Amino acid sequence: MDKTVNQKAWFLVLPVFLAVAFSAVLPLMTVVNYSMQDTFGNNQFFWNGVGWFKELLDPTSDLGSRFFASLWRSLFFSAVILAIEVPLGIVIALSMPREGWQVAACLVILALPLLIPWNVVGTIWQIFGRPDIGLLGYALVRMGINYNYVANDIDAWATVIVMDVWHWTSLVALLCYAGLKSIPDAYYQAAQIDGASRWAVFTAIQLPKMNRVLLIAVLLRFMDSFMIYTEPFVVTGGGPGNSTTFLSIELVKIALGQFDLGKAAALSLVFNLIILIVCWVFYTVMTNVGAERKVRTQRRAAEERDAVAGLQPALAMTRVEGAT
């Protein structure tokens, strides 16, 4: 029988396309337009072509040097955040109870930092880290540690990193816990029968089953940490000096502080392109690792089946001889 094709469903999707076009495509085209023009005020624009992009990608220019310096800071910050939050989130998820009222209590406690708005998080840690009135800063100073996040680069970086870890590790832990809850009990029962160690259970059962949720966690945390703006801006303002001036803060300084719309538009497009490329690399690498692990498992199972099949004639001969 011929299948009837109904195209009326596209009318249900059409409002979504229109909403996306209005809220995303049109602003994007406006940014592209600004990135190729220059202005001297009074809403008068002049064609500049790819001039802003050339200056942006030239490390010897002022715009290029600021761009690359802030880019390395953002990449380093994201790398540190992923190196801390992903393993810590896995450990927290593995330590959480699997049943009982403790599960609901742990989930509520983990969700509390995620409910706090970003600007409030920055304000909390700005006060918390002050050496004069903040609990953390005052305690460190009383312990003999010269801590001052507004005057020392290392203290500023440590404060921003600890603040982000406190705020977003819960997200990784909740995603990992959801992945762990989806593993059937039969896997654990088989591992217990085989006498597998705790590490063997983690590497052979839990980690492969969390592959998808870990991919989501890494992508979300990279995008959030690479685009972070509110928290470090409220706490340090990008300082001391430019030590915590990430790419997002540099973009806002150029767009609003200097009102250079052309430079800011070019920087925002390159910023968006970097995020897309790095996310694609993360997705490709992690999916390939999962596929390779699956292929190895299937190959090992096939070899075991072939070995068993090769032993069957010998076992049959042994039974015959034993019977005679």
Side-chain angles (χ1 to χ4, degrees), residues 15 18 36 49 76 112-113 117 120 146 151 153 190-191 239 274 283 286 299 307 316 318:
L18 295 177
M36 296 185 178
F76 179 75
L112 286 178
V120 177
N146 188 16
D153 298 351
I274 292 173
Y283 178 80
M286 296 189 70
R299 187 184 298 115
T318 302

Side-chain angles (χ1 to χ4, degrees), residues 197-218:
S197 62
R198 189 70 184 87
W199 176 253
V201 172
F202 172 72
T203 56
I205 298 177
Q206 294 173 329
L207 188 59
K209 294 299 181 181
M210 288 193 300
N211 184 40
R212 292 297 178 181
V213 295
L214 283 178
L215 173 61
I216 297 174
V218 169

